[in-house]
Amino acid sequence: MFDIHPDSTFIHTFSDRLEKSENLCTWEQFKLAYRASQFQSISDFDGLLALEHLPHVTFMPHQVEAAKTAIHEMNGRAILADEVGLGKTLEAGLILKEYMIRGMAKKILILTPASLVNQWVQELDQKFHIQAASPRKKHAAWKDWDITVTSIDMAKRENHRETILSIPYDLIIIDEAHKLKNHQTRNYQFVQSLKKTYCLLLTATPIQNKLSDLFNLVSILKPGYLGHLTDFKKKYRGSQNTEHIHSLVGRVMIRNRRQDTGLNHSSRVVAHERLNFTDEEQQWYEKLQTFKENSHAFTWLTLAKEFCSSREACFMSLKEIAKKTTEENKAIITEMIKQLEQLPHHAKAMRMVELIKEKPEKFIVFTEYRATQFYLQWFLQQHGISSVPFSGKFNKSKRDWMKQLFKNQAQVMIATEAGAEGINLQFCHNMINYDLPWNPMRLEQRIGRIHRFGQERDVHIYNFAINNTIEEHIMSMLYEKIDVFRHAVGDLDHILEKIPGGSFENQVQSILEEAESAGEVNIKMKNLVSYVEHTVNERKESS
Amino acid sequence: MNPTLYRDFAQDFFTLHQCKIIEESSHHFKVKLTSDIDEEIMNRPFYWHYMKKMNRSGDPATLSFHLSQSENHEGIYLHAGTPKLHTLYRTAMKKGKMTRLYEATDVPNHHEALTPWFAINVLLHYRGKQTRNEHLALGLNLINGSIIPSFTESIWSESFKATVTDYTFPMTPIINLRSAYKRIEGYIESYVSRKTHEWAQQSIEQLKEEVTLLKSFYESGDMEEEQYQKEYDQLKERYEPRIIMEVINGGLFYLSGQTNAKLFKQLG
């Protein structure tokens, strides 16, 4: 029924040592070695030994359950697809630790987006007592390192590729695996050619657009499990058969939703702050309308959006436009710039300082514009409030450094949108959305930086918008109406992406560009919202 | 597991290797390492390399261990997963791997013959769809070939020395070590075969099921042969049941007549 693999080296070394009478131990040492080995006994096939090894980490029941299922029922090949912020990384770490304790995994490769490499290395060390290496520019000892964390891009480089493909890994973990949804990409093919015994795919969005995304993910774990792609597509083109596919996929995928996990002890307090421009500011905003009337709708939209953020952001664009436009227009723009410079400090900036002064706690402020980021930093400094900037464009070490500064010294972090992925700031409990993105899911990602697994306090979210501007529409439509649906269905992003005639964001943009009056904007926005509402309801009924 | 077991082990490890326990209470202890042990467990090779090169003695570290978790004290929290504890396990197993020992009897019984035994402690790793392991501590009498389970435990409280005492003499083994080792392997095989193996049965079924699936996919032409072979090998690695024998340590033990008799009584 099975083979017994003998220990082939012991007896030779033993005979040798006896003959030479060297390296022989005392009775006490012999007994101590025996005792040490008893600490490593594993008496049961089932269960998680790792829990006893990690008393300093509190795992949630759904995480423990996920690890058990992945190991004992799915036999080590699984998609971990919990919603954002439920701790997929902890689940993966727990599984990894268990495999190491049980001696089933020694050689391990973890592939993550480059921006998350350091975070993985740190978490493995601090939470799991696992020492992982990650390659630097020149130095990469793939064969010597037992546990390696790196990006797919690094791994598939010409000088590394062959070495990595030749190593039989015991366990491969792929973070943000939804990026592998297309089987024709080189990344997908690279992952498929890796030698692996166990394999975990981590993603919060296992289906981004099509069911075939899921097919391709499952094929990495179990080729043939869902049949061929062509048959699969034929079979599931209509949606009648989805029940069958869900039951099949359920045997390789674990998906916990926030509402199932009881992870609500930290709640969100969202405040929509509607602010007013000063009269001077409002007048200037009205003047901008002339751009729209002169059939520069797109320019107008950009400028209006920027002006709602800061004079500085708008100033940069105006200067650019002045360079390219006709003499006549140039005069108008120069005049506008002059007036712009006379305006008082921005209404939002004043409110921000007020809020921060009221509450001596840490704040993260999100803006869409770099110019605004600079302005706010300067403005806070004028009020004696320390702040650090943050952007996804910073390199790894700068990002880590800024995060560290924010944690230990500065009261405020001012981040641009690009910074929303991949930093965790659970030590911060307040967020100001200084500018609102036009896609509610992007806001969700921002909030996920602080309201995530491990957050023990309530988080306060302040959304800023200025009355009588485009921001008012965005606020009332997106954040007050659509947000209500968010709780009804888990994957609103999915719906928003699939609106006919372009994504939700594009729709909003064209409404704002094309509508001739505030009334028209309102009507069109309402239509859009009711379309979303309709889809949501349809979805609810069918499921 | 009872936390004092970890403490006992760690303290025994340090005292055995001449490290001094300089502070001790019911919930913590502090130990001053020797240079040798520091080099062995603290993972700072460059420091020691430098010290030796400069002909200096170096300053071995002091470690403090705590039995409970708290932010208030510096030091190492001792529990099942403490990395330092695992370093101690590894070091202990490395240092206590092989031996040859003679029983030290306190009764000066002239010319007592000591019987040679081959002691061997192994871990059997059951590996298939799931895993577990099992300890075996076997002793083989090198004169008559009988094998005793729990050998190491049976002689646990006797005392042994590296050299033979004046009053005793060791008998020359009749069975040589290599064939003794073969016999041990044979013993393990028959020991294992007497048990039921649901785990192996389940693993085989799972393997069959997944191989069938993979084959039908391959035969439908959606898969290159190379890819198929790789997936097939991976399935075997993942499910094929096997038992891996790992020797923890082993030794040649010369036992007094009295201890010998005790062992046989146990055997019944």
Side-chain angles (χ1 to χ4, degrees):
Chain A
M1 197 164 12
F2 47 76
D3 288 339
I4 297 179
H5 302 247
D7 189 322
S8 54
T9 56
F10 174 80
I11 192 65
H12 303 292
T13 323
F14 186 44
S15 314
D16 195 47
R17 285 196 195 172
L18 284 180
E19 212 165 284
K20 294 182 187 148
S21 280
E22 60 182 26
N23 281 320
L24 296 173
C25 66
T26 66
W27 176 221
E28 266 61 41
Q29 284 175 316
F30 190 83
K31 287 200 283 190
L32 198 69
Y34 182 72
R35 278 165 70 192
S37 79
Q38 284 180 320
F39 284 106
Q40 290 170 354
S41 78
I42 300 162
S43 51
D44 290 318
F45 282 115
D46 294 308
L48 283 187
L49 300 158
L51 293 176
E52 202 197 348
H53 285 239
L54 305 166
H56 57 293
V57 188
T58 317
F59 292 100
M60 301 276 300
H62 75 268
Q63 293 167 339
V64 174
E65 222 29 65
K68 279 186 187 160
T69 310
I71 294 172
H72 298 304
E73 283 165 41
M74 300 178 173
N75 306 311
R77 285 201 179 195
I79 302 174
L80 302 179
D82 287 1
E83 281 180 352
V84 178
L86 293 184
K88 284 185 291 295
T89 317
L90 280 185
E91 289 169 8
L94 195 52
I95 295 167
L96 164 57
K97 185 80 182 179
E98 184 71 19
Y99 275 138
M100 289 177 72
I101 294 172
R102 286 183 180 267
M104 296 160 89
K106 187 164 180 286
K107 199 79 186 162
I108 293 139
L109 179 66
I110 299 169
L111 296 172
T112 93
S115 58
L116 301 179
V117 169
N118 276 1
Q119 199 170 305
W120 265 91
V121 172
Q122 257 180 32
E123 283 214 1
L124 287 179
D125 177 34
Q126 289 166 4
K127 301 214 169 101
F128 295 97
H129 302 314
I130 292 171
Q131 306 300 315
S134 69
R136 301 276 162 228
K137 270 175 193 134
K138 288 270 158 62
H139 184 65
W142 306 103
K143 289 206 164 147
D144 299 337
W145 292 339
D146 280 341
I147 301 147
T148 312
V149 183
T150 189
S151 65
I152 294 189
D153 290 328
M154 174 75 97
K156 69 169 203 245
R157 274 188 204 168
E158 214 159 308
N159 45 340
H160 302 317
R161 189 189 158 87
E162 291 310 312
T163 321
I164 293 177
L165 289 180
S166 75
I167 298 171
Y169 284 101
D170 298 313
L171 171 62
I172 290 182
I173 297 175
I174 301 173
D175 197 5
E176 305 288 337
H178 50 268
K179 292 183 176 156
L180 296 172
K181 62 190 174 180
N182 185 343
H183 68 288
Q184 281 161 335
T185 58
R186 292 181 58 184
N187 279 359
Y188 187 93
Q189 281 153 10
F190 174 71
V191 165
Q192 205 170 33
S193 4
L194 289 166
K195 288 186 191 160
K196 56 194 183 287
T197 307
Y198 306 106
C199 183
L200 301 172
L201 303 177
L202 277 55
T203 171
T205 49
I207 311 179
Q208 275 201 316
N209 288 304
K210 299 176 294 231
L211 220 45
S212 61
D213 296 353
L214 195 57
F215 179 90
N216 288 325
L217 285 185
V218 173
S219 296
I220 294 174
L221 302 178
K222 286 194 172 193
Y225 181 65
L226 296 178
H228 325 226
L229 186 55
T230 38
D231 286 356
F232 178 83
K233 277 186 176 163
K234 238 182 270 164
K235 210 164 166 187
Y236 298 108
R237 184 164 293 149
S239 51
Q240 299 94 333
N241 279 319
T242 44
E243 209 165 283
H244 176 59
I245 181 134
H246 279 289
S247 79
L248 278 177
V249 170
R251 287 167 60 192
V252 288
M253 180 165 97
I254 300 165
R255 181 158 171 84
N256 291 303
R257 289 166 190 276
R258 195 171 283 274
Q259 70 241 37
D260 313 329
T261 54
L263 190 80
N264 288 326
H265 52 270
S266 148
S267 60
R268 290 177 190 191
V269 184
V270 180
H272 294 302
E273 298 254 343
R274 289 159 171 275
L275 309 172
N276 287 312
F277 267 148
T278 56
D279 291 345
E280 299 108 297
E281 283 172 310
Q282 191 65 41
Q283 277 162 22
W284 200 89
Y285 183 83
E286 303 302 333
K287 261 187 210 156
L288 265 184
Q289 300 279 358
T290 51
F291 281 88
K292 194 176 178 188
E293 284 144 24
N294 294 341
S295 79
H296 293 294
F298 180 71
T299 314
W300 167 76
L301 190 60
T302 312
L303 290 172
K305 220 176 140 193
E306 286 171 346
F307 184 63
C308 289
S309 179
S310 70
R311 294 172 306 174
E312 283 68 11
C314 190
F315 176 75
M316 302 303 281
S317 304
L318 277 174
K319 268 180 80 177
E320 283 304 307
I321 296 167
K323 273 188 212 159
K324 287 179 213 148
T325 189
T326 60
E327 280 307 310
E328 188 196 347
N329 276 341
K330 206 177 214 165
I332 302 173
I333 292 171
T334 319
E335 180 55 29
M336 291 216 41
I337 292 179
K338 215 186 244 167
Q339 292 172 2
L340 183 69
E341 284 167 346
Q342 306 299 320
L343 291 176
H345 281 297
H346 202 276
K348 286 207 260 182
M350 313 271 268
R351 177 62 187 141
M352 174 188 81
V353 166
E354 205 175 275
L355 263 175
I356 295 174
K357 280 194 170 164
E358 276 168 20
K359 215 182 191 182
E361 292 178 7
K362 292 202 187 285
F363 274 81
I364 178 163
V365 178
F366 270 102
T367 172
E368 302 252 290
Y369 301 100
R370 289 249 318 217
T372 307
Q373 188 184 26
F374 287 127
Y375 165 64
L376 293 181
Q377 218 186 341
W378 174 83
F379 194 63
L380 283 172
Q381 193 203 356
Q382 297 300 306
H383 287 86
I385 298 167
S386 56
S387 69
V388 291
F390 190 88
S391 154
K393 292 195 182 105
F394 292 172
N395 66 29
K396 237 194 249 175
S397 57
K398 190 166 178 187
R399 278 201 306 254
D400 289 345
W401 173 237
M402 288 301 159
K403 181 179 162 183
Q404 216 52 42
L405 277 180
F406 181 39
K407 188 169 185 182
N408 300 329
Q409 291 166 30
Q411 191 188 349
V412 180
M413 174 181 267
I414 305 171
T416 52
E417 191 64 39
E421 213 175 316
I423 58 162
N424 300 336
L425 306 167
Q426 286 102 320
F427 55 85
C428 176
H429 317 110
N430 299 287
M431 174 180 290
I432 295 176
N433 289 298
Y434 189 90
D435 308 312
L436 289 174
W438 289 4
N439 179 344
M441 288 302 125
R442 269 178 38 224
L443 189 74
E444 193 56 34
Q445 259 191 352
R446 288 181 179 178
I447 296 175
R449 298 305 102 213
I450 63 171
H451 191 223
R452 58 180 17 257
F453 179 71
Q455 178 61 272
E456 282 164 8
R457 291 179 43 185
D458 289 354
V459 297
H460 293 263
I461 315 286
Y462 304 91
N463 295 331
F464 282 8
I466 295 186
N467 285 325
N468 302 315
T469 67
I470 47 169
E471 286 196 339
E472 195 185 355
H473 299 299
I474 301 288
M475 172 85 96
S476 58
M477 289 300 152
L478 293 192
Y479 291 102
E480 293 172 5
K481 299 239 164 70
I482 292 202
D483 198 58
V484 178
F485 316 144
R486 192 174 59 80
H487 303 291
V489 277
D491 36 28
L492 183 60
D493 47 344
H494 197 181
I495 295 170
L496 295 185
E497 268 168 28
K498 280 175 55 181
I499 286 173
S503 75
F504 188 81
E505 222 173 322
N506 294 338
Q507 295 272 353
V508 173
Q509 177 160 345
S510 58
I511 291 174
L512 289 170
E513 272 171 31
E514 288 158 16
E516 308 221 324
S517 66
E520 192 182 337
V521 172
N522 269 338
I523 292 169
K524 286 192 169 168
M525 286 276 226
K526 264 183 198 148
N527 287 342
L528 182 61
V529 170
S530 41
Y531 175 79
V532 174
E533 192 175 5
H534 172 73
T535 322
V536 167
N537 288 337
E538 216 173 36
R539 183 67 71 100
K540 250 198 285 187
E541 277 158 25
S542 70
S543 71
Chain B
M1 213 179 279
N2 185 346
T4 58
L5 282 177
Y6 306 123
R7 179 202 187 129
D8 291 348
F9 178 84
Q11 286 205 3
D12 289 351
F13 177 93
F14 291 121
T15 21
L16 181 60
H17 295 103
Q18 286 80 46
C19 303
K20 216 171 172 173
I21 310 282
I22 52 179
E23 245 182 72
E24 206 175 345
S25 77
S26 60
H27 55 271
H28 93 295
F29 70 92
K30 205 176 223 178
V31 59
K32 176 80 183 165
L33 303 184
T34 61
S35 313
D36 286 347
I37 288 301
D38 185 302
E39 217 178 323
E40 197 86 51
I41 70 168
M42 294 308 286
N43 192 24
R44 43 175 189 167
F46 297 113
Y47 175 80
W48 289 108
H49 182 78
Y50 176 76
M51 283 300 155
K52 279 180 198 159
K53 212 152 201 185
M54 303 309 287
N55 233 344
R56 284 165 56 187
S57 58
D59 182 20
T62 302
L63 293 179
S64 45
F65 290 92
H66 298 271
L67 294 173
S68 59
Q69 187 175 16
S70 161
E71 307 242 319
N72 301 334
H73 39 59
E74 296 256 313
I76 302 165
Y77 168 34
L78 205 54
H79 59 80
T82 312
K84 193 59 79 196
L85 187 61
H86 286 259
T87 311
L88 299 189
Y89 294 157
R90 273 196 302 278
T91 311
M93 281 160 71
K94 194 178 86 189
K95 285 178 172 287
K97 186 103 189 166
M98 297 169 193
T99 191
R100 175 173 52 210
L101 293 166
Y102 304 89
E103 187 169 350
T105 49
D106 41 7
V107 198
N109 193 349
H110 272 283
H111 301 297
E112 180 177 353
L114 297 181
T115 316
W117 284 78
F118 179 30
I120 187 157
N121 297 312
V122 297
L123 258 183
L124 297 182
H125 300 275
Y126 294 75
R127 183 75 199 270
K129 197 174 118 176
Q130 293 180 297
T131 54
R132 71 175 191 88
N133 62 28
E134 183 182 8
H135 266 88
L136 287 181
L138 303 174
L140 186 144
N141 185 314
L142 291 172
I143 302 292
N144 63 20
S146 47
I147 292 178
I148 285 186
S150 309
F151 179 80
T152 305
E153 274 120 351
S154 305
I155 59 168
W156 197 264
S157 48
E158 312 300 335
S159 44
F160 289 91
K161 290 217 166 76
T163 48
V164 67
T165 56
D166 293 345
Y167 310 111
T168 56
F169 70 93
M171 281 195 274
T172 311
I174 290 173
I175 303 164
N176 80 35
L177 275 180
R178 278 167 201 271
S179 60
Y181 187 70
K182 277 265 162 279
R183 289 192 194 197
I184 297 267
E185 283 182 351
Y187 176 89
I188 290 174
E189 262 174 60
S190 70
Y191 166 78
V192 164
S193 69
R194 269 182 272 123
K195 298 170 78 169
T196 58
H197 295 284
E198 221 175 299
W199 66 278
Q201 199 54 49
Q202 282 172 2
S203 300
I204 289 169
E205 276 162 28
Q206 185 78 30
L207 179 63
K208 263 190 200 149
E209 191 187 314
E210 300 218 6
V211 166
T212 313
L213 185 71
L214 183 71
K215 254 193 190 138
S216 73
F217 189 59
Y218 170 61
E219 279 157 8
S220 71
D222 263 19
M223 193 179 229
E224 304 286 324
E225 185 178 349
E226 194 190 342
Q227 174 76 6
Y228 168 75
Q229 195 53 50
K230 202 189 74 190
E231 295 290 341
Y232 180 76
D233 293 343
Q234 289 173 3
L235 282 178
K236 277 180 68 166
E237 173 68 24
R238 200 158 140 228
Y239 293 123
E240 198 165 63
R242 65 248 190 221
I243 295 176
I244 299 149
M245 185 178 146
E246 180 199 1
V247 177
I248 304 295
N249 58 8
L252 187 52
F253 285 82
Y254 290 91
L255 304 190
S256 72
Q258 202 185 358
T259 311
N260 225 10
K262 209 171 78 190
L263 285 179
F264 278 109
K265 208 181 278 166
Q266 225 174 64
L267 200 59

